[in-house]
Amino acid sequence: MHKALEEFSKKYDGNIETLVEFGRQEFKPYENYVGARSFWWGKFLRIAEKFIELEKERRKGQKIYIEQQREYKIGGFTLKATADRIEVDGGLKVIDYKTGRIPDKKDIERGLEPQMPIEAIIFEKEYGVTTTALEYWHLKGVD
């Protein structure tokens, strides 16, 4: 599912048909699996509708970068980050697509879920702006 959203976002044209076609390409290897066909494909189609609405709104007046990978060396360690989506509009928004559970806010604040804060540190240096938002997009395919 992530790969279809990634490819669509990189080649954005605003059409749900394009997103569905990227989805078909990604699901093709799994079309003979009942779970993929009966559960995930239906879920993908529902997510696609919501994603198109959100994408159209979020595209206004900001730069969008998809599947950005970077490394940051600190001391003897190398931190690696892959952000599903980065939006820059005077500030930095780091976005992570989630089809499952979203980390608990308290766990994030206690440092038990460091992915997004680490990505923010790395990508602030890359884009030279301050982080204004860390967002999880819960792609669940239901209202």
Side-chain angles (χ1 to χ4, degrees):
M1 193 170 312
H2 271 70
K3 189 69 173 170
L5 298 176
E6 173 189 343
E7 291 303 315
F8 174 75
S9 295
K10 285 180 178 177
K11 299 171 182 156
Y12 179 75
D13 67 1
N15 295 312
I16 193 165
E17 295 83 10
T18 305
L19 177 53
V20 169
E21 183 54 35
F22 281 121
R24 275 195 190 96
Q25 292 171 20
E26 293 305 315
F27 277 87
K28 192 163 184 63
Y30 309 102
E31 66 189 0
N32 293 323
Y33 294 93
V34 174
R37 192 175 57 245
S38 62
F39 177 75
W40 284 105
W41 181 246
K43 185 173 182 169
F44 174 78
L45 292 175
R46 290 186 300 277
I47 288 170
E49 290 179 28
K50 301 279 186 196
F51 191 81
I52 286 288
E53 292 171 21
L54 188 56
E55 188 74 8
K56 285 179 180 177
E57 182 62 33
R58 296 298 286 254
R59 288 254 166 194
K60 296 176 182 171
Q62 55 194 342
K63 293 181 182 173
I64 295 174
Y65 304 93
I66 305 300
E67 281 297 309
Q68 296 295 296
Q69 298 178 348
R70 300 291 185 276
E71 293 183 357
Y72 180 69
K73 295 183 187 293
I74 184 167
F77 297 96
T78 300
L79 299 175
K80 295 181 181 184
T82 302
D84 289 332
R85 180 183 182 108
I86 300 286
E87 295 179 356
V88 180
D89 64 349
L92 179 78
K93 295 177 186 140
V94 180
I95 298 154
D96 188 29
Y97 304 149
K98 292 289 187 194
T99 55
R101 183 187 76 81
I102 292 178
D104 183 82
K105 184 177 179 181
K106 289 180 183 176
D107 288 344
I108 296 167
E109 290 170 349
R110 288 186 287 202
L112 300 175
E113 295 283 348
Q115 175 190 348
M116 297 281 278
I118 288 171
E119 289 175 356
I121 291 166
I122 292 171
F123 290 106
E124 277 187 357
K125 293 186 180 310
E126 172 78 15
Y127 295 106
V129 293
T130 301
T131 301
T132 55
L134 301 175
E135 300 179 7
Y136 289 101
W137 286 8
H138 197 193
L139 306 174
K140 54 187 180 172
V142 295
D143 289 330

